[in-house]
């Protein structure tokens, strides 16, 4: 579905923000791109959507080379949620904002169908539709931006730090909606994220970047448990993962609160039985 | 284009000038361009612009401005050539007078755009604000407003680029090769750009206020901006440029 082959990119002459990276993402995957600031994560997702053209290598989405096709044509299949929602929002009400994407990319859709689809999304996000997007809070604006991406029902969703600046409730709501689309509709999700707890809870695969290079590609659990890799990428694993690694034998793969609780309970039972 | 107004560090003759002298020199070049009706003098002014860029180590910037103005210049040239009917016909409806006038209009446009951008590229905005306050005794409030608006130009250009990128990702055809279609698409950008501008201005005003903006006086800056020999030489050049424009 998404394929990067030996891709390099630099913003200026001689600079190299992304260096020789290759990976392949299948339909329905939930991939997190991790790395410290300046690792090349945002550049990589922009390369995936074709907003940036690689200086070397090839990016292919749905069998089409992004250098040879237009971004606006891809918008029907690829939804991009930017870090700053204010760059996406361009209409005066939430209803108009959600309809904008459909009106732009699905020109053959009837007015009734657009209104029905917008209504469904507004209901699931808890918007009345008459709100003015720019007078909403940062978190709410981020939700409006996500809702407008979801309204189009893209096959691929690229999310650049979707939870930055959001409180726990807003973060959970946004991530649950994304996760639900990934599970029920098979939407491919590629997410840049600094919140390791969010990555552990929602993503299944992690790509680790540092200095523009791809350091690792594996399951989220295997990546978080590779201490040397995490150090190299200047990342910290979630606290539960770190605790389970420190506790050692009997606590392997206890990476969530639920798993850790289950292990502690079973360990206590074993000890009680031993007494 | 967005780094056009960004400061380029250096120690050239132009860098060492008083910030106000640089601005005066830029204004005089622009004024000379509008006063003069001599095409050779206009070409000389264009050459002078490029030489200033070379001397200040910002020749690439000068070239990029030239490149940026190319499309507008061609458009203006064609428009002038088609609408001016005076003079002897050279080809179809094109007259010699039309060609000359078109060349002059385009040269004036380029001459007016390059010097100010170059001078700002070799002047730190804070130096310009301080010099305006110390030398011209302009109230800091106004100097700050002026310099902040200059500082905002590249930021707004960057913001515009980012908004266009975001809208393209949503399916708005900013990646079309049809220029006229692109102009029509700019309208939806006005709302996010306006909102972000107001937000940024508001945030800057609040930040300045909490940092004691109101307490600032002419004596608040430690750096002095005296006029040196090089500035006097620049004043003479300014006078010569204006005189040349009037006389030639």
């Amino acid at each position: 579905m998404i394929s990067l082959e030996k891709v390099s990119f630099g913003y200026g002459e001689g600079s190299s923000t992304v260096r020789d990276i290759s990976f392949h993402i299948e339909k329905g995957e939930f991939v997190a791109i991790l790395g410290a600031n300046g690792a090349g994560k945002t550049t990589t997702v922009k390369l995936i959507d074709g907003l940036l053209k690689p200086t070397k290598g090839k990016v292919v989405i749905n069998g089409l080379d992004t250098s040879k096709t237009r971004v606006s044509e891809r918008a029907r299949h690829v939804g991009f949620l930017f870090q700053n929602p204010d760059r996406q929002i361009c209409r005066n009400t939430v209803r108009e904002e959600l309809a904008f994407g459909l009106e732009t990319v699905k020109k053959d859709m009837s007015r009734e169908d657009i209104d029905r689809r917008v209504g469904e999304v507004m209901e699931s996000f808890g918007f009345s539709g008459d709100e003015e997007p720019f007078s909403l809070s940062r978190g709410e604006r981020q939700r409006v931006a996500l809702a407008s991406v979801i309204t189009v029902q893209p096959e691929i969703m690229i999310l650049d730090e979707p939870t930055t600046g959001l409180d726990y409730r807003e973060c959970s709501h946004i991530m649950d909606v994304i996760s639900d689309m990934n599970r029920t509709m098979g939407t491919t999700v590629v997410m840049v994220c600094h919140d390791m707890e969010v990555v552990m809870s929602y993503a299944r695969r992690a790509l680790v970047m540092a200095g523009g290079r791809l350091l690792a590609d594996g399951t989220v659990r295997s990546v978080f448990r590779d201490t040397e890799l995490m150090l190299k990428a200047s990342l910290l694993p979630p606290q539960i993962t770190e605790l389970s690694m420190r506790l050692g034998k009997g606590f392997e793969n206890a990476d969530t609160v639920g798993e850790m609780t289950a292990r502690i309970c079973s360990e206590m039972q074993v000890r009680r039985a031993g007494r | 284009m967005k780094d056009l107004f960004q400061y380029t560090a250096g120690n050239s003759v132009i860098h060492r000038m008083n910030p106000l002298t640089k601005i005066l020199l830029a204004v005089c070049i622009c004024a000379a361009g509008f006063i003069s009706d001599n095409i050779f003098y206009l070409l000389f002014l264009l050459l002078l612009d490029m030489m200033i860029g070379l001397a200040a180590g910002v020749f690439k910037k000068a070239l990029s401005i030239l490149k940026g103005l190319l499309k507008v210049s061609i458009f203006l040239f064609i428009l002038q050539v088609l609408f001016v009917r005076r003079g002897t016909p050279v080809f179809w409806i094109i007259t010699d007078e039309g060609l000359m006038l078109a060349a002059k209009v385009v040269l004036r446009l380029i001459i007016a755009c390059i010097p100010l951008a170059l001078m700002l590229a070799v002047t730190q905005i804070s130096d310009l604000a301080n010099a305006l306050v110390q030398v011209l005794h302009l109230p800091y409030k106004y100097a700050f407003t002026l310099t902040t608006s200059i500082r905002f130009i590249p930021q707004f250009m960057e913001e515009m680029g980012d908004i266009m990128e975001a809208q393209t990702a949503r399916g708005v055809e900013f990646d079309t090769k049809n220029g006229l279609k692109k102009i029509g698409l700019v309208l939806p950008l006005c709302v996010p750009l306006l909102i972000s501008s107001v937000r940024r201005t508001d945030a800057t005003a609040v930040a300045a206020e909490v940092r004691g903006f109101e307490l600032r006086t002419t004596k608040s800056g430690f750096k002095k901006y005296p006029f040196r020999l090089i500035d006097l030489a620049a004043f003479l050049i300014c006078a010569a440029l204006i005189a040349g424009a009037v006389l030639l």
Side-chain angles (χ1 to χ4, degrees), chain A residues 70-72 88 97 134, chain B residues 165 167 170 173 175 199:
Chain A
R70 278 163 51 189
V71 182
S72 54
Q88 273 175 264
E97 181 59 32
F134 288 105
Chain B
E165 191 179 60
Q167 298 303 331
R170 296 183 73 187
E173 293 176 85
D175 47 1
R199 280 216 173 109

Side-chain angles (χ1 to χ4, degrees), chain B residues 144-193:
Chain B
F144 180 80
T145 310
L146 178 76
T147 53
T148 306
S149 49
I150 295 170
R151 194 181 292 150
F152 274 177
I153 295 170
Q155 290 179 6
F156 286 152
M157 284 168 88
E158 196 176 340
E159 192 92 25
M160 183 83 165
D162 289 338
I163 293 169
M164 277 172 87
E165 191 179 60
Q167 298 303 331
T168 311
R170 296 183 73 187
V172 182
E173 293 176 85
F174 281 113
D175 47 1
T176 178
K177 282 175 183 160
N178 185 341
L180 285 173
K181 195 173 183 183
K182 221 183 246 184
I183 293 168
L185 296 171
V186 170
L187 210 63
L189 297 191
C190 297
V191 176
L193 193 66

Side-chain angles (χ1 to χ4, degrees), chain B residues 48-101:
Chain B
L48 183 71
D49 280 348
M50 301 315 280
M51 278 167 70
I52 288 172
L54 195 68
V58 287
F59 189 66
K60 267 191 179 174
K61 227 168 228 184
L63 277 181
S64 80
I65 303 169
L66 256 182
K67 212 174 135 188
L69 289 170
L70 199 70
K71 277 184 190 169
V72 186
S73 301
I74 292 170
F75 179 70
L76 258 180
F77 189 87
I78 294 170
L79 218 63
Q80 289 291 328
V81 160
L82 292 179
F83 282 93
V84 178
R85 300 285 170 87
R86 292 190 308 268
T88 323
V90 179
F91 169 71
W92 188 40
I93 55 165
I94 300 165
T95 64
D96 58 348
E97 214 170 303
L99 281 169
M100 187 57 91
L101 193 72

